[in-house]
Every structure is written in structure tokens, then in C-alpha cells.
Amino acid sequence: MTMTMTPIADHLWGRLPLELIERILDLLVDEYDQDPAYQWTTLRHTARRQMRRIERHFLRHWVPKLTITLYSGPRCQIDYRLSNYSGNDNLGIRRVRFQTLGPGLANSLNKEGIRTLWDQYSFENRVAHLRLGEGILNNGMTGGYIVNDTDIVDLEVENDGLSIAFDWRRTLDALLREEVMMQKLQTEMAIDRKKKLAGERRWPPFPRIQRLALVKAFVLDIQMAKRVAMQQHRLKRHDPSGETKLGSLTHESRHLHKQDLPPHPPASEPGRACCIICSRRTGPSIFEVVACEESVVLSLDGWQQLEKEELLDLYAEAYGWNCYRCLGQENNVSWQQTSKNDWLTVCSSSAEKLHTIRRWNPWF
């Protein structure tokens, strides 16, 4: 939705009482309460009063629902959440402080190890990711929150890494602007895919089959392609020379982002030889996290109106295509159907399958 108006509409809008205009804008903002990216990047700029109102709402409501996760290798995830909020929604607050409960949550890591991880955080090495609205956005549907490795702006590491402070406005602005960019790219890619299939007479005639076809396209191409495009856009803004490298494009996630990479450098010390998971030293890239945590089903137009039975089938379809890709079964379509059926028959209720907070795990 845009705020552009015709000359006549603009004239009529200008004749409305200010109180009525403000009330209309209030209702418009409230209508998009489940779309913080649109609220922040677009509606926040409709009027000065709305900017203050939305920023106050974000400080009170969304900042406490932001999680920053620090990774150490394939096993350890350390969550940081808001620590200094006590109902104060003073918009003069520029920086917020997040903290973890302590090194006991970090398996074998101590405070020195956590501090070392944060010291490695940079544009080329995003060892921490942001999650907004886990279990809340998109009515709490599985994989319905925002996750990205966006920059944590003006980051300061405190208490040997047990606390961090950063600029909440600029960090959310970066996170939500990139989310809007990816939504736009995804829409354009989906339209192009429909046109291509229609031109080849391979676009299904029935809406339910069309949705299955789109789920396949999202999983195997669009979901990652939009993030590659966004990462390249980010790199161009950060370093137009192109000399800086994107740390998110890793060998471990090559099967997801499909980008050319230089040969993998030899390890400085030999890893355990049992499997690739135990041997790797690095945490997940954003592509690996997204493949596990983000549901492409919620990218379908009108998913909210679908029956639970079809939603379950679409989630299972996405799971099957993900297995098809991740386990190197690109030429074995029956593998996808087997994986899909396995997901449908796993011993958990429909509610659990559709409303679960799922974190990246290299074993699943």
C-alpha cells in the first residue's frame, strides 16, 4: 500500500480536520501491527506524530521481542535479550543493553571465549544474527519471524561479552529495510517464475497445485536468491571496490546459495574425522539458518485463508524439497515425496507442527 494520492483526493485530505487525519493514520498503522517492516519503513514517515507513535511502540513492544544470537561452532548458540527495559518508553533513549544469563548457557565457553567471539564480529564475519518476533509474527506460525545477519549498529561489548549495547533505531532500521528489500525481490522473482512456467505451458491450472509449485520454486531458488541479491547490495554499499568479502557465502552453505567460492583453505589444525559437523569450526551462515528456520509457506499470497490441512501439506512439501536439496538428492524426486510423507507422519500434533519455534541445528 502506498500513500500517494490524486490531486482531488489530496485536496479533500487537506480539508479534513487534523484530529480526523490523525485518527485515520492511527487506524492505518494499527492495521499493519503484524507487519513491523512496513510500519517502520513506510508508515513511520507519513507524519511527525506517527513517527513518534511508531517509535514509541517499537521501543515498548518490538525491542523486547528482539533476540541476538551469538554462535560458536556448530553446537553453541548464546541468546541476548533486552536487559534494561522497565516500561520506560522515553524516545530519548538511543542505546539499549542486551545480556545473556551467563557462560553456563554456553556449554564449554567461558567469559574469555565469549569475548573472543564478539571481537571477531565484523562485516566479513557475522558471528551473530538477529531474530525479531519469534513465536509472535504471522500469528506465531512456524518459521514466521524475521531473521537476518544485519549489522548491529554501534556495537559495544561489555562485561567480557555477557552484555552488549547498540543503537536500537539504526539496528532495527537496517534489519527492517533489508526485510522490505527481500520481500520486493521475492515478489518480482515469483512473478517471473510464474511467467516462465506459463510460457512453457507448465503452470498448473488449479490454485492448490499452483501453491505447491510455488513452494518448490521458493525452496530451491527464490528463498536463497533473494538473500544473495540483498547481500550483494549490502556489499556494494559497504565497499564499492568489491575488495571486501561476504563472510555469509561459505563452503558449508554452498549448496544453498550456489555461489562460486575459492578453494577451501586447509585447516590450521586437524578436525575430528567422524563427520563434517564435528569437523567444522564455524557457526552457521545466514543461509543455513534460514534454510532451517524460515518457512516459505508464509510467502504465499493468502496463506492466512487456507485450511489447516492444506497448510500442513504445504509445510510438508517445503520440508521435502529442503531435504531433496540439502542431502544431495537433486536427481531423486521420489526422495522429496518420501521426506514429505515422513514429516506428515512424525509423532507430533498439527498444532505443534504449525506453531513451533525451530532453531538451526546441524543434525536436523
Side-chain angles (χ1 to χ4, degrees):
M1 179 175 179
T2 63
M3 297 300 296
T4 57
M5 304 179 186
T6 64
I8 294 178
D10 189 43
H11 174 69
L12 293 174
W13 181 267
R15 296 179 63 182
L16 291 174
L18 178 60
E19 294 80 4
L20 180 57
I21 293 175
E22 291 177 346
R23 179 56 180 158
I24 291 172
L25 289 175
D26 286 348
L27 293 172
L28 177 63
V29 169
D30 293 342
E31 182 70 18
Y32 287 89
D33 194 49
Q34 277 287 306
D35 191 352
Y38 184 72
Q39 275 191 335
W40 182 267
T41 62
T42 300
L43 298 180
R44 188 167 63 102
H45 301 287
T46 56
R48 189 172 301 170
R49 176 179 175 274
Q50 291 305 319
M51 177 173 286
R52 293 194 299 270
R53 180 173 180 258
I54 289 173
E55 289 186 358
R56 187 174 293 109
H57 172 66
F58 269 70
L59 183 57
R60 181 191 303 125
H61 181 76
W62 287 116
V63 172
K65 293 173 177 59
L66 176 67
T67 301
I68 297 176
T69 303
L70 180 69
Y71 296 99
S72 174
R75 295 179 178 82
C76 184
Q77 302 181 25
I78 310 168
D79 283 344
Y80 291 74
R81 295 187 175 91
L82 185 66
S83 65
N84 63 345
Y85 183 75
S86 58
N88 185 357
D89 55 5
N90 178 8
L91 293 181
I93 297 174
R94 184 177 71 87
R95 300 175 64 77
V96 291
R97 178 169 290 102
F98 277 43
Q99 68 178 20
T100 186
L101 296 180
L105 294 178
N107 297 334
S108 61
L109 279 181
N110 53 25
K111 292 173 71 173
E112 181 180 353
I114 295 174
R115 178 71 203 216
T116 299
L117 286 172
W118 279 117
D119 288 343
Q120 296 170 354
Y121 180 82
S122 67
F123 181 85
E124 297 178 79
N125 187 30
R126 293 289 168 83
V127 294
H129 296 167
L130 289 77
R131 291 175 175 85
L132 182 65
E134 276 183 293
I136 298 169
L137 283 175
N138 286 306
N139 301 319
M141 293 288 288
T142 298
Y145 51 88
I146 295 172
V147 56
N148 205 349
D149 60 347
T150 315
D151 186 29
I152 305 170
V153 181
D154 286 345
L155 173 67
E156 289 184 8
V157 181
E158 305 171 343
N159 191 20
D160 290 326
L162 299 184
S163 299
I164 58 174
F166 57 93
D167 187 315
W168 72 269
R169 279 189 186 84
R170 293 172 63 194
T171 298
L172 281 180
D173 193 63
L175 176 68
L176 298 176
R177 285 186 180 279
E178 290 192 346
E179 182 67 17
V180 168
M181 176 184 172
M182 286 190 291
Q183 290 174 2
K184 180 180 178 182
L185 287 170
Q186 177 176 274
T187 299
E188 293 171 351
M189 291 176 181
I191 291 173
D192 290 344
R193 180 57 58 91
K194 292 178 187 177
K195 288 180 178 179
K196 180 180 179 182
L197 292 175
E200 297 171 351
R201 296 186 178 181
R202 294 193 295 124
W203 182 239
F206 305 109
R208 181 158 184 164
I209 308 303
Q210 290 173 357
R211 287 189 282 270
L212 289 171
L214 279 176
V215 163
K216 177 182 178 181
F218 279 129
V219 172
L220 297 183
D221 186 17
I222 296 173
Q223 183 184 34
M224 300 301 164
K226 72 179 183 184
R227 287 192 177 264
V228 170
M230 189 280 299
Q231 295 263 343
Q232 291 172 342
H233 173 78
R234 182 193 293 175
L235 175 60
K236 187 175 181 180
R237 293 186 61 189
H238 177 79
D239 180 12
S241 71
E243 295 180 2
T244 305
K245 303 301 180 184
L246 284 170
S248 57
L249 301 179
T250 64
H251 287 270
E252 292 83 359
S253 59
R254 169 68 181 81
H255 64 289
L256 299 171
H257 56 68
K258 303 176 184 177
Q259 303 300 293
D260 292 332
L261 295 168
H264 204 300
S268 57
E269 58 180 283
R272 295 172 61 185
C274 57
C275 70
I276 189 172
I277 295 172
C278 293
S279 298
R280 70 182 283 176
R281 303 294 187 208
T282 59
S285 73
I286 187 61
F287 295 95
E288 294 173 280
V289 168
V290 164
C292 176
E293 299 187 23
E294 183 182 78
S295 173
V296 301
V297 175
L298 307 182
S299 298
L300 297 171
D301 292 336
W303 68 264
Q304 299 90 337
Q305 283 72 52
L306 299 179
E307 297 292 334
K308 182 187 293 185
E309 178 268 334
E310 184 178 356
L311 280 173
L312 282 168
D313 188 64
L314 290 168
Y315 267 85
E317 184 78 5
Y319 178 85
W321 286 119
N322 207 13
C323 287
Y324 171 94
R325 173 188 59 189
C326 293
L327 298 181
Q329 298 291 327
E330 289 81 0
N331 298 315
N332 186 358
V333 180
S334 64
W335 180 278
Q336 184 269 338
Q337 285 296 308
T338 300
S339 297
K340 174 179 179 177
N341 292 333
D342 288 345
W343 189 89
L344 285 170
T345 56
V346 72
C347 297
S348 58
S349 68
S350 299
E352 288 175 325
K353 289 176 180 177
L354 294 179
H355 293 89
T356 299
I357 296 178
R358 181 179 60 203
R359 284 293 187 91
W360 177 77
N361 186 328
W363 286 271
F364 297 101

